[in-house]
Amino acid sequence: MTDLDERITRALRDHADGPVDTNRLVTAAVNGGRARRRRRRAVLGAALGVAVALGAGVALRTPSSALPTPAVTPSPTVVTPPRAPGVPGAAARADLVGTDPGLLHFGVDPAAAEVVAWRSAAGVESMRLDLGGGRQAMVVIAADPWVAEIGDSSQLHDVGIGQLNGRTESNDRDASRRADYALMYQGLAHRLDRVTKGWVLRWQPVPGLYARAATLGDTDAEVRRVAAALRFDEARRCVAPIRLTALPRGARITECEVATRELAWPRVVTMAKTPTPPVPVQAVDRTTAVLTVALDAKAIMPVRLDYSTSSRDNRQKANRTVAGRPVFDMGDFWYVLGIPHTHLLMGHENRWQRPPTDAEVDTLIGGLRVADDLGEPTTWQ
C-alpha cells in the first residue's frame, strides 16, 4: 500500500460516520501525484548524470580554458519548455534572439539540468536551471553583449555587472560603449565574489551570439559543464500557464516570463555593505508567470499569475463580471477571481503612462485562458 493509499484509507476511516471530506482527498491525490513526478524526474536525472560522468571520465573533473562545445544529443519528446519545430536556433540565427516573446532560441541538455524558469523579452532570452543537489545556474543570451550584461535583471539580478578597465559600474552601463562589452566574452570564467563562491562565464557560441552563465561552486568546472549542456541549434516555446487569445486593436505581447519553481540565490552584500554567508538553495513549489502587453507606445499592461497550493485564495469580492469571470476592479488593478490558490491580476503600474480603457481590460480578460493544472508545466501546451 502506498503512502497515498494510506492517507485515503485514514481519511475514509476518520469520516466513517459523517460526510467524506472530498477536498482533503483531492488535495492528497494532487500533492501525491506531483511528488511522484518530481521523484521520477530526480531519479531519471541522477541516472543519466551518472552515465554522463562515467563516459566523460577524468575530463569531466578537470576545468578547461577551452570554449564550451554545445551538446548535440536529441532531446526527449516531452520537456519544458517544449520544442518549437521548424524554428532555427540561435547558432543559425543569432539576430532572432529576443525578437519573439513566444520563443526561446536555445535549449538545455535535460540530462544535465532541469529548466525551472525561462524568459523571452526585447533582445534577450534567459533560463534558470536546477542542477540537483541544491545547485543552480542562470543563463542569458543576446545578440548584443551590452544587452547580455544588463538586459535581464530577473535572471541575473544578484550576479552583478562586470567592470571594464577599472571604470565604475555606472559608466559601464553607457550604451555608447557597447562595443567594449564584446571584449568580456572571450570564454574566460571569473569569480562572482569571495563570499558566494560562484563563477560567471562569458563566451560567444558562434560569432554574433553572446552567452553568459553563472553558478555556485569552488571552481569553474560547474559553470563550464552548464555551458557545454546548452543547445543553440534548437528553439523552444515560451509556454506559460496563461494565454491571451484576444488582444485590443494594435496591442502586442512584448515579454513572456515563467517560473515553475523558486530557487533562492544567495545575497552577497547586506545594507551595511558587509558580506553575508551563502544561503542554501531551497526549491519552493510555486508557479509564477507574467505576460507583458504593450497596448500602444504609451501603455504597458502586465498580466501576472501566482499559484501555490499553500497560498490562500483572494479575499476580495467581485464588483464586476467580465466574460463570465468574477473580477475585483480597483480602477488601476484588476483581480480575476475564482481560481483556487491563485492570484491573477493585471495592472497599470506606470503612473506616467496612460491608463488602459475599460474596453481594453475587458478584451484581455475575455481572451484569458488558464491551464487546468497550474503546477504541471508539461500540460501547458
Side-chain angles (χ1 to χ4, degrees):
M1 182 178 291
T2 66
D3 179 63
L4 177 59
D5 295 331
E6 291 176 356
R7 281 183 284 172
I8 294 176
T9 301
R10 185 165 53 253
L12 293 173
R13 187 184 303 115
D14 292 343
H15 295 78
D17 298 326
V20 176
D21 186 351
T22 56
N23 288 333
R24 179 180 173 183
L25 295 181
V26 171
T27 299
V30 172
N31 291 340
R34 188 167 293 127
R36 288 194 298 275
R37 284 195 296 269
R38 287 196 298 268
R39 286 195 294 269
R40 284 198 298 268
R41 286 197 295 263
V43 170
L44 177 60
L48 291 173
V50 169
V52 172
L54 291 176
V58 176
L60 182 66
R61 299 187 296 271
T62 304
S64 171
S65 60
L67 292 175
T69 301
V72 294
T73 54
S75 298
T77 302
V78 180
V79 291
T80 304
R83 294 287 294 269
V87 179
R93 292 291 306 273
D95 59 302
L96 295 180
V97 173
T99 59
D100 186 339
L103 293 173
L104 297 152
H105 294 86
F106 74 113
V108 181
D109 182 352
E114 179 184 3
V115 183
V116 296
W118 50 92
R119 179 174 181 259
S120 179
V124 64
E125 299 171 3
S126 62
M127 290 184 182
R128 194 161 188 149
L129 311 177
D130 185 350
L131 308 177
R135 300 166 301 140
Q136 65 172 309
M138 293 183 284
V139 180
V140 170
I141 69 169
D144 185 321
W146 182 76
V147 175
E149 285 298 303
I150 69 172
D152 198 333
S153 60
S154 65
Q155 299 296 354
L156 290 178
H157 178 74
D158 297 316
V159 175
I161 308 299
Q163 295 188 11
L164 300 174
N165 302 326
R167 297 184 179 91
T168 63
E169 181 177 308
S170 60
N171 287 337
D172 287 347
R173 293 174 182 265
D174 184 355
S176 65
R177 298 180 53 254
R178 292 190 182 192
D180 292 347
Y181 282 89
L183 300 176
M184 301 172 64
Y185 287 78
Q186 303 296 327
L188 300 177
H190 300 278
R191 284 190 179 275
L192 294 175
D193 60 82
R194 292 177 297 176
V195 178
T196 308
K197 294 184 178 180
W199 290 81
V200 59
L201 174 66
R202 300 174 176 90
W203 78 104
Q204 293 188 62
V206 296
L209 178 63
Y210 299 87
R212 184 178 189 222
T215 63
L216 304 181
D218 293 326
T219 72
D220 66 349
E222 190 77 273
V223 74
R224 290 191 177 278
R225 280 195 290 268
V226 168
L230 300 179
R231 295 173 172 170
F232 301 101
D233 59 349
E234 64 182 38
R236 300 187 176 275
R237 294 192 293 116
C238 191
V239 65
I242 51 177
R243 291 188 298 121
L244 299 174
T245 63
L247 297 175
R249 183 184 299 273
R252 60 190 180 91
I253 298 175
T254 59
E255 178 179 338
C256 168
E257 182 172 359
V258 180
T260 63
R261 210 155 59 236
E262 287 186 350
L263 296 177
W265 186 269
R267 285 288 182 182
V268 176
V269 177
T270 66
M271 294 298 293
K273 296 184 178 181
T274 58
T276 58
V279 178
V281 176
Q282 296 181 347
V284 178
D285 281 337
R286 180 179 178 181
T287 300
T288 61
V290 179
L291 298 181
T292 302
V293 180
L295 300 173
D296 56 31
K298 298 180 180 180
I300 301 295
M301 175 75 88
V303 180
R304 180 182 180 90
L305 176 143
D306 287 280
Y307 164 80
S308 173
T309 55
S310 61
S311 67
R312 296 181 179 180
D313 294 338
N314 280 309
R315 296 183 178 181
Q316 295 95 338
K317 293 184 179 180
N319 54 14
R320 287 184 60 196
T321 299
V322 179
R325 292 186 179 275
V327 176
F328 178 60
D329 187 345
M330 297 180 62
D332 53 0
F333 281 88
W334 295 264
Y335 288 84
V336 179
L337 309 178
I339 307 173
H341 306 294
T342 301
H343 295 267
L344 179 55
L345 72 153
M346 55 187 70
H348 172 50
E349 296 181 341
N350 192 333
R351 305 294 180 175
W352 296 103
Q353 297 178 347
R354 74 161 180 85
T357 65
D358 288 342
E360 289 171 330
V361 174
D362 290 353
T363 298
L364 289 174
I365 296 177
L368 181 65
R369 300 293 181 268
V370 182
D372 293 331
D373 189 345
L374 296 175
E376 185 50 66
T378 57
T379 66
W380 304 343
Q381 301 299 323

